[in-house]
Amino acid sequence: MEWEKLLSAKRDRQSVHRAGSVKSTDLRSEFEKDYHRIIGSASFRRLQDKTQVFPLDKSDFIRTRLTHSLEVSSFAKSLGQNIGENILTYGLNPGFSPRMKEDICSILQCAGLIHDIGNPPFGHFGELAIREWFAENLGKLEFCGQKAEELLEPQMREDLYHFEGNAQALRLVTKLHYLVDERGMNLTYALLGSIIKYPVSSLEIRPESGNIKDKKLGYYYADRDIFYDVQETTGTNGCRHPLTFILEAADDIAYKTADIEDSFIKGFISFHKLREELENLNTETGETGGPFDALYELDKFYMRGKERGERKPEEYAVKNWIVRVQGFMITCATDGFTSNYEAIMDGRYEHDLFYGTYGEKLMDLLGSLAFREVFTSAQIYKMEMKESVMLNFLMDKFSAAVMKFDNPYEKPGTIDKRIISFISDNYKSAYYFHSKGKSESEKLYLRLLLVTDYICGMTDSYAKRLYQELTAIF
């Protein structure tokens, strides 16, 4: 892969002004323009009311998808600066220029903002609930007296069974966010390529391969044309875009450290539990001391808090320790990319950037600790049960209604019409545009995507409120 192609500024819709016909005073690069398109979008604003870990939390401290995305954006830009400088300093690529380094930083800053923009309400549990709904109900839906499941092509069915927020993000920014026309935000191909974490279809998912790019689907059948165009233009051709590794590392740093901090504030993880886990990690790995001793750093901040007379030295220690860990992980990810530069650029690298670094075990521990102490707790399970009821109800109602939407053979009933009227006109317009000339099978598939498009666009509060209103709960 070559940076000149990887950093393509091409858009699906090019500027209406011919080059040289209009003298522009806009000195922004194309990637800086992407940034302003994103932060001005309603889809980005909605992230302020979407779950990161704790749904519908009333605390101002706890992170939302918006604050998480801002953190990922910041880490991604920092990593881009470090890695770009390493490429220049160590001469890893003779054709790499300082301008390319600047472009990488701008692209990664934007990618961090939109990497979760396709996620449904209620966080990753929302994704799971939608997948399970299709697994349990697609075989029950009927379209004009026939089983909907049997009418769909294999990839269409698998798309629904493996519904994925990452694939939805690509769909949203390329088709659903109506800015000028049906091309969504019309972002640069370099940016689109960087957010495609898994460059495989739903028929090509192979988590057992051990290659990180094969874990989940990266695009829907409905969006295959833009996916193929981005791949061909950027020269990735079935491989991960190198910037995707950097974006993923930034996401990992942000959520794994934030989950510990938020869980500490919420009382799920105590200072002593964290210290005990770090002590066990040192024992297991035999890496006491070394380039970064996480236990030593935590104890150091605790003692500093005591010396400063902090009222809550444990809280002081955890918050400062989190910042220290983040800095260390940025160094590890930078080393991971630099050390594996050739394999990444050749499309041969199969792991994340922490693999084989000093930070790998600590990152694994942070993820495991949050899972054990938070995500499997009774409090979270109870909340997820409520979320499941709400999402299942909405999927039931809207999926049944769209079976009769734009259907010349079976007209919608009174309730169906009202249900369909709730769906955003933007989404319905996108359906009409992209269903023109399509087979009945693909139209059926697009009707079902219309449901997931609408539900994924909901905030947590709106999903809850709509459920209450439709079930007459006041």
Side-chain angles (χ1 to χ4, degrees):
M1 290 180 277
E2 302 170 358
W3 284 112
E4 189 172 346
K5 293 185 70 175
L6 290 167
L7 303 181
S8 171
K10 177 184 174 181
R11 302 180 190 274
D12 193 22
R13 179 188 67 252
Q14 297 298 334
S15 172
V16 295
H17 301 298
R18 290 184 179 177
S21 64
V22 177
K23 185 175 181 179
S24 175
T25 57
D26 190 346
L27 301 180
R28 296 174 300 168
S29 72
E30 290 302 311
F31 309 120
E32 289 169 331
K33 291 176 185 176
D34 281 345
Y35 181 86
H36 293 283
R37 292 181 186 217
I38 294 165
I39 63 171
S41 71
S43 302
F44 180 67
R45 290 195 296 276
R46 289 192 190 104
L47 294 175
Q48 67 186 312
D49 189 16
K50 285 198 172 187
T51 295
Q52 177 58 24
V53 177
F54 302 100
L56 301 169
D57 195 89
K58 293 181 172 60
S59 168
D60 291 336
F61 180 87
I62 302 303
R63 290 165 174 84
T64 64
R65 282 284 174 193
L66 179 63
T67 49
H68 166 69
S69 297
L70 291 170
E71 289 176 337
V72 174
S73 176
S74 176
F75 289 138
K77 183 178 181 180
S78 295
L79 281 168
Q81 289 171 328
N82 288 1
I83 290 168
E85 190 60 32
N86 277 4
I87 296 172
L88 291 169
T89 301
Y90 300 120
L92 299 179
N93 191 320
F96 192 83
S97 66
R99 177 67 202 191
M100 288 177 173
K101 173 189 169 183
E102 291 179 21
D103 287 342
I104 282 176
C105 292
S106 295
I107 294 166
L108 286 168
Q109 186 177 29
C110 293
L113 296 180
I114 61 173
H115 79 286
D116 274 349
I117 205 166
N119 281 33
F122 311 126
H124 289 298
F125 179 77
E127 290 178 281
L128 178 61
I130 291 173
R131 284 185 213 123
E132 291 187 346
W133 187 91
F134 279 117
E136 294 173 8
N137 294 281
L138 189 58
K140 302 174 187 176
L141 286 176
E142 290 194 357
F143 180 76
C144 298
Q146 292 182 273
K147 295 285 186 183
E149 186 180 44
E150 296 172 359
L151 293 171
L152 298 175
E153 297 294 328
Q155 187 175 343
M156 297 174 186
R157 287 197 300 269
E158 293 303 314
D159 282 356
L160 301 175
Y161 294 146
H162 294 91
F163 169 82
E164 174 63 38
N166 290 291
Q168 187 67 25
L170 178 66
R171 178 169 175 75
L172 187 148
V173 299
T174 58
K175 291 183 176 177
L176 303 181
H177 178 84
Y178 194 90
L179 187 63
V180 175
D181 57 22
E182 66 282 351
R183 294 177 177 86
M185 293 185 191
N186 197 34
L187 302 172
T188 58
Y189 278 19
L191 175 54
L192 295 180
S194 71
I195 66 169
I196 300 172
K197 290 179 68 175
Y198 312 104
V200 296
S201 74
S202 56
L203 297 177
E204 301 167 314
I205 302 170
R206 293 187 305 128
E208 72 282 358
S209 75
N211 193 326
I212 197 168
K213 76 177 183 66
D214 299 332
K215 285 175 61 177
K216 302 175 183 178
L217 85 157
Y219 66 97
Y220 297 129
Y221 177 81
D223 309 316
R224 63 196 182 283
D225 290 343
I226 187 68
F227 170 79
Y228 292 140
D229 197 15
V230 169
Q231 290 263 300
E232 182 179 358
T233 301
T234 58
T236 49
N237 299 319
C239 301
R240 262 191 170 191
H241 194 295
L243 298 189
T244 307
F245 289 97
I246 303 174
L247 173 63
E248 185 173 52
D251 187 22
D252 288 345
I253 294 170
Y255 87 79
K256 287 192 176 182
T257 56
D259 286 356
I260 298 300
E261 185 176 14
D262 288 355
S263 300
F264 173 80
I265 294 298
K266 294 284 291 181
F268 284 88
I269 297 174
S270 68
F271 171 84
H272 297 291
K273 177 62 177 176
L274 176 59
R275 191 183 184 285
E276 177 187 330
E277 293 282 333
L278 295 176
E279 198 168 34
N280 291 339
L281 178 64
N282 277 0
T283 300
E284 291 172 14
T285 61
E287 293 180 357
T288 303
F292 184 80
D293 187 331
L295 176 62
Y296 169 80
E297 294 291 332
L298 183 65
D299 286 343
K300 181 183 73 176
F301 284 119
Y302 176 75
M303 292 306 300
R304 184 182 297 175
K306 296 271 285 185
E307 291 167 2
R308 285 170 49 88
E310 295 288 339
R311 191 167 60 88
K312 297 180 178 179
E314 293 89 352
E315 182 174 333
Y316 175 89
V318 171
K319 289 183 177 180
N320 280 278
W321 180 81
I322 290 292
V323 175
R324 182 74 179 87
V325 169
Q326 289 169 346
F328 173 64
M329 291 304 174
I330 286 175
T331 300
C332 290
T334 301
D335 291 344
F337 192 96
T338 306
S339 301
N340 297 285
Y341 183 77
E342 287 189 11
I344 290 171
M345 296 301 289
D346 289 343
R348 295 182 287 106
Y349 191 65
E350 300 184 349
H351 310 286
D352 64 39
L353 296 186
F354 300 104
Y355 181 79
T357 71
Y358 284 106
E360 181 182 9
K361 297 294 185 183
L362 179 56
M363 288 294 274
D364 290 344
L365 172 65
L366 296 181
S368 170
L369 179 58
F371 178 79
R372 287 180 279 114
E373 300 298 321
V374 183
F375 295 107
T376 58
S377 66
Q379 183 176 333
I380 294 296
Y381 277 171
K382 287 176 183 177
M383 182 61 73
E384 288 176 345
M385 290 299 294
K386 296 176 184 177
E387 295 160 4
S388 176
V389 170
M390 289 186 274
L391 286 174
N392 284 341
F393 174 84
L394 294 175
M395 289 293 295
D396 285 343
K397 293 298 181 184
F398 284 94
S399 295
V402 298
M403 290 296 101
K404 300 173 185 177
F405 172 65
D406 188 35
N407 184 342
Y409 311 107
E410 195 172 359
K411 299 299 180 184
T414 302
I415 298 301
D416 292 328
K417 288 180 181 177
R418 283 156 176 73
I419 290 289
I420 293 168
S421 73
F422 297 142
I423 298 177
S424 165
D425 288 339
N426 285 352
Y427 295 160
K428 285 186 281 194
S429 295
Y431 164 83
Y432 283 123
F433 180 86
H434 294 290
S435 65
K436 286 179 183 176
K438 296 295 192 298
S439 66
E440 287 303 315
S441 173
E442 191 161 353
K443 283 185 178 180
L444 173 58
Y445 166 69
L446 291 173
R447 288 185 185 94
L448 291 169
L449 286 187
L450 179 58
V451 176
T452 53
D453 289 342
Y454 177 54
I455 290 179
C456 285
M458 296 180 183
T459 62
D460 293 6
S461 296
Y462 180 79
K464 178 182 178 182
R465 184 168 67 253
L466 183 61
Y467 168 77
Q468 291 173 328
E469 290 170 347
L470 296 184
T471 54
I473 298 175
F474 300 105

